[in-house]
Amino acid sequence: MEIKYDFLPELVIPISYGSSEVIETGKWGFEKPESVFMTAPCQEVCPAGNPIPQFLYLASERRYEEALEAVLQENPFPGVCGRVCFHPCEKECHRVQYDEAVSINAMERYVFDVTSDRSPDMPSVSDADSKRVAIVGSGPAGLSAAYFLGRLGYRVTLFEARKELGGVMRWGIPEYRLPKSILKKEIRRILQLPIDVKTGVRVGKEISFEKLHRFDAVFLSPGAGLSLSLGIEGQDLKKVWSGGDFLDRINSGDKFRIGKEIIVIGGGNTAMDVARSALRLGSRVTVVYRRTRAEMPAIQDEIHEAEQEGVRFEFLLQPVKVSVLKNKRIRVKFQRMKLRGRDESHRPKAIPIKGAYHTLDADGLIKAVGEGVDLSWIPKTLNKKSLIDVNLSLATSHPKIFAGGDAIDQPRTIVTAIGAGKKAAISIDLYLRGSAEDDVFSKIRVGNKGALSMEAYLSGKNGGNWSEPKEVISYPQLNTLYFERSQRVEMSKLRGNKTLKSFSEVNLGFTSDEATISALRCFSCGTCNYCYNCYFFCPEGVVSLDPQHKKRTVDLEHCKGCGTCAKVCPRNGILMKGPS
Ligand SMILES: Cc1cc2nc3c(=O)[nH]c(=O)nc-3n(C[C@H](O)[C@H](O)[C@H](O)COP(=O)(O)OP(=O)(O)OC[C@H]3O[C@@H](n4cnc5c(N)ncnc54)[C@H](O)[C@@H]3O)c2cc1C
Ligand code: SF4
Ligand code: SF4
């Protein structure tokens, strides 16, 4: 009898003695292979729910436009995140247990950089009858909410107090980390959607809060823009700056000198940006923090970069007084501290060492000890503990007002703000459609850490059919036998004198080869990446794969249920299932 295969590969593949035509499933085997898709751990911890294995797979095939589209489904800021995200994804990458983490962050940047001049069109589905949503604040939370609401078909009006959009991305983070041209490209893409932008309009000043009630729903994302004070004698002296004001001037393009010797107080992102910017203005800089390096809240990479560039650090010191010396320099008196016990946020508590002081002289001091939320224009009923008070759906106590970003109780990072913008857009959509859908968030979750999938939301909303959330794949579920050990590729950096003489971007990104090597290092945990193992090892030759259309099919009529495909899949993508 002649056996016909219409999917024979050119390579020789093993065929069992018995004919597939003769022995069919059910006559011989009880189990059938079923494709399973699981959530990768990197994706679970990305607060934006970036489809990491998918975009890395597409990038490994150099299908960059498709990779960008995959990311844009969940995150409107790949160019920003690829530069300044604190990348928790890399810490959880399964490759860490094998050799070194995949360079996810740098790859996100590469996918944006290589396609940024041919960004996909943003289809608009809104019409004249669309409901209207007001957004206050155009940082990552507000712009993300505008993006997702625009894509969901709403007419959005975005109020921004400053003359340009972007929030901290525009006025806080300096050019050497996030070039303005990158932010502009991201914002230009978002503004293809039906978003009416009102810059230079501070709600509570140019228009009243009450006027927002004309909209069908409101999202508040004003960030945390108030520099907290040191609360010490001399804090209002001319030579004492606020970190926010200092960075604002830098980011407005002001060229100025701040003094030869500068002290920066604080241990967070603002302190690191202030210190590195002051270095670029020609100052010698000492960062003083009241705990130790281990407790500094700034992104680790930033601390490291600051050290590399020559910023000096002094720990366990708290300023108590600033005074002006005869030579017009300033003297800062510090209380020496020690760590003992834990505070309410479970961080080691810094307590004064009685009678132990230290002084430092300098030409100026920049305080960067944290930021507060300006709630003066927001009704008191919406606030709690100096923040806007929201529930798990980001709804305030007013049914049509939602809030997110730095102004609520959530980690203060860009990607968390993006995640909040997405969540708020979904909550607002549910509210405006009067949806009685219970527990939507548990159906569209990406793992168990709070990230949501817009793709899952749209397919459930449009098809009315919510798929089951995918479980997170553990390391032992991978079959690492098929992987080779390899070194992680790091981005090259601007080095030497050039770095500190300008505000040019320090991280230089990947070359095309570095990007391909990095993308290929991804295990594609829990996702089929068409490695063809199942295809080659199937003794019956009944597996067919179609990478272009993302399809893997098994001819179940002739599958014997031997389970070879499941065993050889390196990423746990096939499960043998018996008759139910
Ligand atoms: C200096 C600095 C560096 C940072 N670096 C990083 C980093 O590298 N990586 C990272 O992940 N995170 C970083 N962060 C944190 C991150 O930037 C914030 O968590 C994030 O920007 C918060 O987004 P948001 O949209 O809530 O607020 P914001 O970005 O603060 O935006 C709020 C916007 O609302 C506007 N606004 C306020 N009140 C009104 C009003 N009444 N009417 C109209 N508009 C109003 C403001 O002008 C502003 O544009 C940094 C923060 C700072 C300060
Ligand atoms: S946004 Fe941040 S956490 Fe998410 S994939 Fe990018 S680098 Fe990782
Ligand atoms: S190997 Fe790839 S899919 Fe797996 S955790 Fe790392 S980046 Fe994510």
mmCIF file with all atom_site columns, all heavy atoms in Angstrom, residues 20-43:
data_model
loop_
_atom_site.group_PDB
_atom_site.id
_atom_site.type_symbol
_atom_site.label_atom_id
_atom_site.label_alt_id
_atom_site.label_comp_id
_atom_site.label_asym_id
_atom_site.label_entity_id
_atom_site.label_seq_id
_atom_site.pdbx_PDB_ins_code
_atom_site.Cartn_x
_atom_site.Cartn_y
_atom_site.Cartn_z
_atom_site.occupancy
_atom_site.B_iso_or_equiv
_atom_site.pdbx_formal_charge
_atom_site.auth_seq_id
_atom_site.auth_comp_id
_atom_site.auth_asym_id
_atom_site.auth_atom_id
_atom_site.pdbx_PDB_model_num
ATOM 1   N N   . SER A 1 20 ? 0.715  4.162  9.245  1.00 0.00 ? 20 SER A N   1
ATOM 2   C CA  . SER A 1 20 ? -0.204 5.097  9.893  1.00 0.00 ? 20 SER A CA  1
ATOM 3   C C   . SER A 1 20 ? -1.602 4.931  9.340  1.00 0.00 ? 20 SER A C   1
ATOM 4   O O   . SER A 1 20 ? -2.583 5.244  9.983  1.00 0.00 ? 20 SER A O   1
ATOM 5   C CB  . SER A 1 20 ? 0.268  6.522  9.670  1.00 0.00 ? 20 SER A CB  1
ATOM 6   O OG  . SER A 1 20 ? 1.376  6.757  10.453 1.00 0.00 ? 20 SER A OG  1
ATOM 7   N N   . GLU A 1 21 ? -1.671 4.479  8.099  1.00 0.00 ? 21 GLU A N   1
ATOM 8   C CA  . GLU A 1 21 ? -2.984 4.336  7.461  1.00 0.00 ? 21 GLU A CA  1
ATOM 9   C C   . GLU A 1 21 ? -3.772 3.192  8.113  1.00 0.00 ? 21 GLU A C   1
ATOM 10  O O   . GLU A 1 21 ? -4.988 3.199  8.165  1.00 0.00 ? 21 GLU A O   1
ATOM 11  C CB  . GLU A 1 21 ? -2.809 4.006  5.969  1.00 0.00 ? 21 GLU A CB  1
ATOM 12  C CG  . GLU A 1 21 ? -2.126 5.111  5.188  1.00 0.00 ? 21 GLU A CG  1
ATOM 13  C CD  . GLU A 1 21 ? -3.078 6.238  4.872  1.00 0.00 ? 21 GLU A CD  1
ATOM 14  O OE1 . GLU A 1 21 ? -4.160 5.963  4.360  1.00 0.00 ? 21 GLU A OE1 1
ATOM 15  O OE2 . GLU A 1 21 ? -2.739 7.395  5.162  1.00 0.00 ? 21 GLU A OE2 1
ATOM 16  N N   . VAL A 1 22 ? -3.022 2.221  8.600  1.00 0.00 ? 22 VAL A N   1
ATOM 17  C CA  . VAL A 1 22 ? -3.681 1.017  9.106  1.00 0.00 ? 22 VAL A CA  1
ATOM 18  C C   . VAL A 1 22 ? -4.058 1.171  10.577 1.00 0.00 ? 22 VAL A C   1
ATOM 19  O O   . VAL A 1 22 ? -5.170 0.908  10.986 1.00 0.00 ? 22 VAL A O   1
ATOM 20  C CB  . VAL A 1 22 ? -2.761 -0.212 8.906  1.00 0.00 ? 22 VAL A CB  1
ATOM 21  C CG1 . VAL A 1 22 ? -3.407 -1.452 9.477  1.00 0.00 ? 22 VAL A CG1 1
ATOM 22  C CG2 . VAL A 1 22 ? -2.445 -0.385 7.427  1.00 0.00 ? 22 VAL A CG2 1
ATOM 23  N N   . ILE A 1 23 ? -3.056 1.624  11.360 1.00 0.00 ? 23 ILE A N   1
ATOM 24  C CA  . ILE A 1 23 ? -3.308 1.683  12.802 1.00 0.00 ? 23 ILE A CA  1
ATOM 25  C C   . ILE A 1 23 ? -3.701 3.090  13.187 1.00 0.00 ? 23 ILE A C   1
ATOM 26  O O   . ILE A 1 23 ? -2.862 3.989  13.224 1.00 0.00 ? 23 ILE A O   1
ATOM 27  C CB  . ILE A 1 23 ? -2.072 1.237  13.597 1.00 0.00 ? 23 ILE A CB  1
ATOM 28  C CG1 . ILE A 1 23 ? -1.549 -0.077 13.040 1.00 0.00 ? 23 ILE A CG1 1
ATOM 29  C CG2 . ILE A 1 23 ? -2.399 1.075  15.071 1.00 0.00 ? 23 ILE A CG2 1
ATOM 30  C CD1 . ILE A 1 23 ? -0.205 -0.484 13.591 1.00 0.00 ? 23 ILE A CD1 1
ATOM 31  N N   . GLU A 1 24 ? -4.938 3.339  13.450 1.00 0.00 ? 24 GLU A N   1
ATOM 32  C CA  . GLU A 1 24 ? -5.404 4.677  13.773 1.00 0.00 ? 24 GLU A CA  1
ATOM 33  C C   . GLU A 1 24 ? -5.521 4.854  15.290 1.00 0.00 ? 24 GLU A C   1
ATOM 34  O O   . GLU A 1 24 ? -5.566 3.894  16.031 1.00 0.00 ? 24 GLU A O   1
ATOM 35  C CB  . GLU A 1 24 ? -6.756 4.934  13.109 1.00 0.00 ? 24 GLU A CB  1
ATOM 36  C CG  . GLU A 1 24 ? -6.627 4.984  11.604 1.00 0.00 ? 24 GLU A CG  1
ATOM 37  C CD  . GLU A 1 24 ? -7.954 5.166  10.927 1.00 0.00 ? 24 GLU A CD  1
ATOM 38  O OE1 . GLU A 1 24 ? -8.971 5.303  11.634 1.00 0.00 ? 24 GLU A OE1 1
ATOM 39  O OE2 . GLU A 1 24 ? -7.964 5.167  9.691  1.00 0.00 ? 24 GLU A OE2 1
ATOM 40  N N   . THR A 1 25 ? -5.584 6.115  15.704 1.00 0.00 ? 25 THR A N   1
ATOM 41  C CA  . THR A 1 25 ? -5.753 6.429  17.120 1.00 0.00 ? 25 THR A CA  1
ATOM 42  C C   . THR A 1 25 ? -7.003 5.725  17.654 1.00 0.00 ? 25 THR A C   1
ATOM 43  O O   . THR A 1 25 ? -7.992 5.623  16.953 1.00 0.00 ? 25 THR A O   1
ATOM 44  C CB  . THR A 1 25 ? -5.924 7.940  17.300 1.00 0.00 ? 25 THR A CB  1
ATOM 45  O OG1 . THR A 1 25 ? -4.874 8.571  16.624 1.00 0.00 ? 25 THR A OG1 1
ATOM 46  C CG2 . THR A 1 25 ? -5.934 8.331  18.748 1.00 0.00 ? 25 THR A CG2 1
ATOM 47  N N   . GLY A 1 26 ? -6.920 5.300  18.875 1.00 0.00 ? 26 GLY A N   1
ATOM 48  C CA  . GLY A 1 26 ? -8.088 4.620  19.446 1.00 0.00 ? 26 GLY A CA  1
ATOM 49  C C   . GLY A 1 26 ? -7.924 3.130  19.321 1.00 0.00 ? 26 GLY A C   1
ATOM 50  O O   . GLY A 1 26 ? -8.327 2.371  20.183 1.00 0.00 ? 26 GLY A O   1
ATOM 51  N N   . LYS A 1 27 ? -7.264 2.692  18.235 1.00 0.00 ? 27 LYS A N   1
ATOM 52  C CA  . LYS A 1 27 ? -7.015 1.261  18.092 1.00 0.00 ? 27 LYS A CA  1
ATOM 53  C C   . LYS A 1 27 ? -5.734 0.901  18.824 1.00 0.00 ? 27 LYS A C   1
ATOM 54  O O   . LYS A 1 27 ? -5.416 -0.249 19.008 1.00 0.00 ? 27 LYS A O   1
ATOM 55  C CB  . LYS A 1 27 ? -6.872 0.911  16.611 1.00 0.00 ? 27 LYS A CB  1
ATOM 56  C CG  . LYS A 1 27 ? -8.152 1.102  15.834 1.00 0.00 ? 27 LYS A CG  1
ATOM 57  C CD  . LYS A 1 27 ? -7.944 0.745  14.395 1.00 0.00 ? 27 LYS A CD  1
ATOM 58  C CE  . LYS A 1 27 ? -9.188 1.120  13.598 1.00 0.00 ? 27 LYS A CE  1
ATOM 59  N NZ  . LYS A 1 27 ? -8.918 1.275  12.197 1.00 0.00 ? 27 LYS A NZ  1
ATOM 60  N N   . TRP A 1 28 ? -4.959 1.902  19.180 1.00 0.00 ? 28 TRP A N   1
ATOM 61  C CA  . TRP A 1 28 ? -3.636 1.608  19.718 1.00 0.00 ? 28 TRP A CA  1
ATOM 62  C C   . TRP A 1 28 ? -3.322 2.483  20.939 1.00 0.00 ? 28 TRP A C   1
ATOM 63  O O   . TRP A 1 28 ? -2.942 2.000  21.971 1.00 0.00 ? 28 TRP A O   1
ATOM 64  C CB  . TRP A 1 28 ? -2.614 1.869  18.610 1.00 0.00 ? 28 TRP A CB  1
ATOM 65  C CG  . TRP A 1 28 ? -1.227 1.419  18.901 1.00 0.00 ? 28 TRP A CG  1
ATOM 66  C CD1 . TRP A 1 28 ? -0.723 0.171  18.726 1.00 0.00 ? 28 TRP A CD1 1
ATOM 67  C CD2 . TRP A 1 28 ? -0.178 2.227  19.400 1.00 0.00 ? 28 TRP A CD2 1
ATOM 68  N NE1 . TRP A 1 28 ? 0.583  0.134  19.084 1.00 0.00 ? 28 TRP A NE1 1
ATOM 69  C CE2 . TRP A 1 28 ? 0.952  1.398  19.510 1.00 0.00 ? 28 TRP A CE2 1
ATOM 70  C CE3 . TRP A 1 28 ? -0.063 3.561  19.779 1.00 0.00 ? 28 TRP A CE3 1
ATOM 71  C CZ2 . TRP A 1 28 ? 2.168  1.852  19.965 1.00 0.00 ? 28 TRP A CZ2 1
ATOM 72  C CZ3 . TRP A 1 28 ? 1.150  4.017  20.228 1.00 0.00 ? 28 TRP A CZ3 1
ATOM 73  C CH2 . TRP A 1 28 ? 2.256  3.157  20.316 1.00 0.00 ? 28 TRP A CH2 1
ATOM 74  N N   . GLY A 1 29 ? -3.501 3.783  20.825 1.00 0.00 ? 29 GLY A N   1
ATOM 75  C CA  . GLY A 1 29 ? -3.132 4.683  21.927 1.00 0.00 ? 29 GLY A CA  1
ATOM 76  C C   . GLY A 1 29 ? -4.361 5.352  22.519 1.00 0.00 ? 29 GLY A C   1
ATOM 77  O O   . GLY A 1 29 ? -5.379 5.509  21.855 1.00 0.00 ? 29 GLY A O   1
ATOM 78  N N   . PHE A 1 30 ? -4.238 5.734  23.772 1.00 0.00 ? 30 PHE A N   1
ATOM 79  C CA  . PHE A 1 30 ? -5.381 6.346  24.468 1.00 0.00 ? 30 PHE A CA  1
ATOM 80  C C   . PHE A 1 30 ? -5.265 7.854  24.584 1.00 0.00 ? 30 PHE A C   1
ATOM 81  O O   . PHE A 1 30 ? -6.227 8.529  24.820 1.00 0.00 ? 30 PHE A O   1
ATOM 82  C CB  . PHE A 1 30 ? -5.524 5.734  25.862 1.00 0.00 ? 30 PHE A CB  1
ATOM 83  C CG  . PHE A 1 30 ? -5.889 4.289  25.812 1.00 0.00 ? 30 PHE A CG  1
ATOM 84  C CD1 . PHE A 1 30 ? -4.923 3.316  25.967 1.00 0.00 ? 30 PHE A CD1 1
ATOM 85  C CD2 . PHE A 1 30 ? -7.205 3.908  25.580 1.00 0.00 ? 30 PHE A CD2 1
ATOM 86  C CE1 . PHE A 1 30 ? -5.260 1.977  25.905 1.00 0.00 ? 30 PHE A CE1 1
ATOM 87  C CE2 . PHE A 1 30 ? -7.544 2.572  25.515 1.00 0.00 ? 30 PHE A CE2 1
ATOM 88  C CZ  . PHE A 1 30 ? -6.563 1.594  25.670 1.00 0.00 ? 30 PHE A CZ  1
ATOM 89  N N   . GLU A 1 31 ? -4.032 8.346  24.458 1.00 0.00 ? 31 GLU A N   1
ATOM 90  C CA  . GLU A 1 31 ? -3.834 9.775  24.702 1.00 0.00 ? 31 GLU A CA  1
ATOM 91  C C   . GLU A 1 31 ? -3.585 10.534 23.404 1.00 0.00 ? 31 GLU A C   1
ATOM 92  O O   . GLU A 1 31 ? -3.016 9.998  22.459 1.00 0.00 ? 31 GLU A O   1
ATOM 93  C CB  . GLU A 1 31 ? -2.644 9.978  25.637 1.00 0.00 ? 31 GLU A CB  1
ATOM 94  C CG  . GLU A 1 31 ? -2.924 9.495  27.038 1.00 0.00 ? 31 GLU A CG  1
ATOM 95  C CD  . GLU A 1 31 ? -1.775 9.822  27.972 1.00 0.00 ? 31 GLU A CD  1
ATOM 96  O OE1 . GLU A 1 31 ? -0.606 9.701  27.565 1.00 0.00 ? 31 GLU A OE1 1
ATOM 97  O OE2 . GLU A 1 31 ? -2.057 10.194 29.117 1.00 0.00 ? 31 GLU A OE2 1
ATOM 98  N N   . LYS A 1 32 ? -4.015 11.793 23.410 1.00 0.00 ? 32 LYS A N   1
ATOM 99  C CA  . LYS A 1 32 ? -3.783 12.644 22.239 1.00 0.00 ? 32 LYS A CA  1
ATOM 100 C C   . LYS A 1 32 ? -2.947 13.848 22.676 1.00 0.00 ? 32 LYS A C   1
ATOM 101 O O   . LYS A 1 32 ? -3.131 14.362 23.777 1.00 0.00 ? 32 LYS A O   1
ATOM 102 C CB  . LYS A 1 32 ? -5.109 13.207 21.722 1.00 0.00 ? 32 LYS A CB  1
ATOM 103 C CG  . LYS A 1 32 ? -6.023 12.221 21.105 1.00 0.00 ? 32 LYS A CG  1
ATOM 104 C CD  . LYS A 1 32 ? -7.265 12.981 20.666 1.00 0.00 ? 32 LYS A CD  1
ATOM 105 C CE  . LYS A 1 32 ? -8.379 12.028 20.312 1.00 0.00 ? 32 LYS A CE  1
ATOM 106 N NZ  . LYS A 1 32 ? -9.626 12.750 20.084 1.00 0.00 ? 32 LYS A NZ  1
ATOM 107 N N   . PRO A 1 33 ? -2.075 14.335 21.767 1.00 0.00 ? 33 PRO A N   1
ATOM 108 C CA  . PRO A 1 33 ? -1.311 15.541 22.129 1.00 0.00 ? 33 PRO A CA  1
ATOM 109 C C   . PRO A 1 33 ? -2.176 16.785 21.975 1.00 0.00 ? 33 PRO A C   1
ATOM 110 O O   . PRO A 1 33 ? -2.944 16.891 21.022 1.00 0.00 ? 33 PRO A O   1
ATOM 111 C CB  . PRO A 1 33 ? -0.166 15.552 21.115 1.00 0.00 ? 33 PRO A CB  1
ATOM 112 C CG  . PRO A 1 33 ? -0.658 14.766 19.954 1.00 0.00 ? 33 PRO A CG  1
ATOM 113 C CD  . PRO A 1 33 ? -1.717 13.820 20.438 1.00 0.00 ? 33 PRO A CD  1
ATOM 114 N N   . GLU A 1 34 ? -2.055 17.665 22.942 1.00 0.00 ? 34 GLU A N   1
ATOM 115 C CA  . GLU A 1 34 ? -2.809 18.915 22.873 1.00 0.00 ? 34 GLU A CA  1
ATOM 116 C C   . GLU A 1 34 ? -1.840 20.082 23.069 1.00 0.00 ? 34 GLU A C   1
ATOM 117 O O   . GLU A 1 34 ? -0.976 20.007 23.937 1.00 0.00 ? 34 GLU A O   1
ATOM 118 C CB  . GLU A 1 34 ? -3.843 18.928 24.001 1.00 0.00 ? 34 GLU A CB  1
ATOM 119 C CG  . GLU A 1 34 ? -5.112 19.649 23.615 1.00 0.00 ? 34 GLU A CG  1
ATOM 120 C CD  . GLU A 1 34 ? -6.176 19.421 24.662 1.00 0.00 ? 34 GLU A CD  1
ATOM 121 O OE1 . GLU A 1 34 ? -6.086 20.075 25.710 1.00 0.00 ? 34 GLU A OE1 1
ATOM 122 O OE2 . GLU A 1 34 ? -7.068 18.563 24.439 1.00 0.00 ? 34 GLU A OE2 1
ATOM 123 N N   . SER A 1 35 ? -1.995 21.128 22.256 1.00 0.00 ? 35 SER A N   1
ATOM 124 C CA  . SER A 1 35 ? -1.115 22.298 22.421 1.00 0.00 ? 35 SER A CA  1
ATOM 125 C C   . SER A 1 35 ? -1.484 23.010 23.706 1.00 0.00 ? 35 SER A C   1
ATOM 126 O O   . SER A 1 35 ? -2.660 23.261 23.957 1.00 0.00 ? 35 SER A O   1
ATOM 127 C CB  . SER A 1 35 ? -1.305 23.277 21.267 1.00 0.00 ? 35 SER A CB  1
ATOM 128 O OG  . SER A 1 35 ? -0.759 22.731 20.102 1.00 0.00 ? 35 SER A OG  1
ATOM 129 N N   . VAL A 1 36 ? -0.475 23.306 24.509 1.00 0.00 ? 36 VAL A N   1
ATOM 130 C CA  . VAL A 1 36 ? -0.758 24.118 25.698 1.00 0.00 ? 36 VAL A CA  1
ATOM 131 C C   . VAL A 1 36 ? 0.086  25.382 25.622 1.00 0.00 ? 36 VAL A C   1
ATOM 132 O O   . VAL A 1 36 ? 1.231  25.345 25.210 1.00 0.00 ? 36 VAL A O   1
ATOM 133 C CB  . VAL A 1 36 ? -0.428 23.409 27.036 1.00 0.00 ? 36 VAL A CB  1
ATOM 134 C CG1 . VAL A 1 36 ? -1.537 22.541 27.499 1.00 0.00 ? 36 VAL A CG1 1
ATOM 135 C CG2 . VAL A 1 36 ? 0.866  22.645 26.965 1.00 0.00 ? 36 VAL A CG2 1
ATOM 136 N N   . PHE A 1 37 ? -0.508 26.481 25.976 1.00 0.00 ? 37 PHE A N   1
ATOM 137 C CA  . PHE A 1 37 ? 0.245  27.722 26.017 1.00 0.00 ? 37 PHE A CA  1
ATOM 138 C C   . PHE A 1 37 ? 0.260  28.184 27.456 1.00 0.00 ? 37 PHE A C   1
ATOM 139 O O   . PHE A 1 37 ? -0.764 28.174 28.126 1.00 0.00 ? 37 PHE A O   1
ATOM 140 C CB  . PHE A 1 37 ? -0.366 28.769 25.093 1.00 0.00 ? 37 PHE A CB  1
ATOM 141 C CG  . PHE A 1 37 ? -0.198 28.383 23.656 1.00 0.00 ? 37 PHE A CG  1
ATOM 142 C CD1 . PHE A 1 37 ? -1.201 27.711 22.977 1.00 0.00 ? 37 PHE A CD1 1
ATOM 143 C CD2 . PHE A 1 37 ? 0.995  28.639 23.005 1.00 0.00 ? 37 PHE A CD2 1
ATOM 144 C CE1 . PHE A 1 37 ? -1.022 27.311 21.669 1.00 0.00 ? 37 PHE A CE1 1
ATOM 145 C CE2 . PHE A 1 37 ? 1.183  28.247 21.690 1.00 0.00 ? 37 PHE A CE2 1
ATOM 146 C CZ  . PHE A 1 37 ? 0.166  27.579 21.018 1.00 0.00 ? 37 PHE A CZ  1
ATOM 147 N N   . MET A 1 38 ? 1.447  28.525 27.923 1.00 0.00 ? 38 MET A N   1
ATOM 148 C CA  . MET A 1 38 ? 1.575  28.953 29.314 1.00 0.00 ? 38 MET A CA  1
ATOM 149 C C   . MET A 1 38 ? 2.154  30.363 29.350 1.00 0.00 ? 38 MET A C   1
ATOM 150 O O   . MET A 1 38 ? 2.669  30.859 28.355 1.00 0.00 ? 38 MET A O   1
ATOM 151 C CB  . MET A 1 38 ? 2.471  27.977 30.074 1.00 0.00 ? 38 MET A CB  1
ATOM 152 C CG  . MET A 1 38 ? 1.913  26.557 30.079 1.00 0.00 ? 38 MET A CG  1
ATOM 153 S SD  . MET A 1 38 ? 2.892  25.450 31.091 1.00 0.00 ? 38 MET A SD  1
ATOM 154 C CE  . MET A 1 38 ? 2.321  25.865 32.735 1.00 0.00 ? 38 MET A CE  1
ATOM 155 N N   . THR A 1 39 ? 2.050  30.990 30.511 1.00 0.00 ? 39 THR A N   1
ATOM 156 C CA  . THR A 1 39 ? 2.604  32.338 30.666 1.00 0.00 ? 39 THR A CA  1
ATOM 157 C C   . THR A 1 39 ? 4.061  32.222 31.093 1.00 0.00 ? 39 THR A C   1
ATOM 158 O O   . THR A 1 39 ? 4.391  31.450 32.001 1.00 0.00 ? 39 THR A O   1
ATOM 159 C CB  . THR A 1 39 ? 1.815  33.109 31.748 1.00 0.00 ? 39 THR A CB  1
ATOM 160 O OG1 . THR A 1 39 ? 0.461  33.216 31.315 1.00 0.00 ? 39 THR A OG1 1
ATOM 161 C CG2 . THR A 1 39 ? 2.380  34.498 31.973 1.00 0.00 ? 39 THR A CG2 1
ATOM 162 N N   . ALA A 1 40 ? 4.928  32.977 30.427 1.00 0.00 ? 40 ALA A N   1
ATOM 163 C CA  . ALA A 1 40 ? 6.345  32.981 30.813 1.00 0.00 ? 40 ALA A CA  1
ATOM 164 C C   . ALA A 1 40 ? 6.505  33.841 32.071 1.00 0.00 ? 40 ALA A C   1
ATOM 165 O O   . ALA A 1 40 ? 5.775  34.825 32.252 1.00 0.00 ? 40 ALA A O   1
ATOM 166 C CB  . ALA A 1 40 ? 7.191  33.552 29.684 1.00 0.00 ? 40 ALA A CB  1
ATOM 167 N N   . PRO A 1 41 ? 7.461  33.501 32.943 1.00 0.00 ? 41 PRO A N   1
ATOM 168 C CA  . PRO A 1 41 ? 7.606  34.256 34.198 1.00 0.00 ? 41 PRO A CA  1
ATOM 169 C C   . PRO A 1 41 ? 8.002  35.712 33.969 1.00 0.00 ? 41 PRO A C   1
ATOM 170 O O   . PRO A 1 41 ? 7.638  36.596 34.745 1.00 0.00 ? 41 PRO A O   1
ATOM 171 C CB  . PRO A 1 41 ? 8.718  33.506 34.934 1.00 0.00 ? 41 PRO A CB  1
ATOM 172 C CG  . PRO A 1 41 ? 9.463  32.788 33.885 1.00 0.00 ? 41 PRO A CG  1
ATOM 173 C CD  . PRO A 1 41 ? 8.473  32.438 32.829 1.00 0.00 ? 41 PRO A CD  1
ATOM 174 N N   . CYS A 1 42 ? 8.734  35.964 32.879 1.00 0.00 ? 42 CYS A N   1
ATOM 175 C CA  . CYS A 1 42 ? 9.143  37.344 32.566 1.00 0.00 ? 42 CYS A CA  1
ATOM 176 C C   . CYS A 1 42 ? 7.901  38.198 32.309 1.00 0.00 ? 42 CYS A C   1
ATOM 177 O O   . CYS A 1 42 ? 7.788  39.324 32.775 1.00 0.00 ? 42 CYS A O   1
ATOM 178 C CB  . CYS A 1 42 ? 10.043 37.354 31.330 1.00 0.00 ? 42 CYS A CB  1
ATOM 179 S SG  . CYS A 1 42 ? 9.336  36.491 29.918 1.00 0.00 ? 42 CYS A SG  1
ATOM 180 N N   . GLN A 1 43 ? 6.974  37.616 31.574 1.00 0.00 ? 43 GLN A N   1
ATOM 181 C CA  . GLN A 1 43 ? 5.760  38.343 31.189 1.00 0.00 ? 43 GLN A CA  1
ATOM 182 C C   . GLN A 1 43 ? 4.858  38.586 32.397 1.00 0.00 ? 43 GLN A C   1
ATOM 183 O O   . GLN A 1 43 ? 4.231  39.630 32.527 1.00 0.00 ? 43 GLN A O   1
ATOM 184 C CB  . GLN A 1 43 ? 5.023  37.502 30.143 1.00 0.00 ? 43 GLN A CB  1
ATOM 185 C CG  . GLN A 1 43 ? 3.891  38.194 29.470 1.00 0.00 ? 43 GLN A CG  1
ATOM 186 C CD  . GLN A 1 43 ? 3.258  37.324 28.386 1.00 0.00 ? 43 GLN A CD  1
ATOM 187 O OE1 . GLN A 1 43 ? 3.672  36.182 28.179 1.00 0.00 ? 43 GLN A OE1 1
ATOM 188 N NE2 . GLN A 1 43 ? 2.271  37.858 27.710 1.00 0.00 ? 43 GLN A NE2 1
#
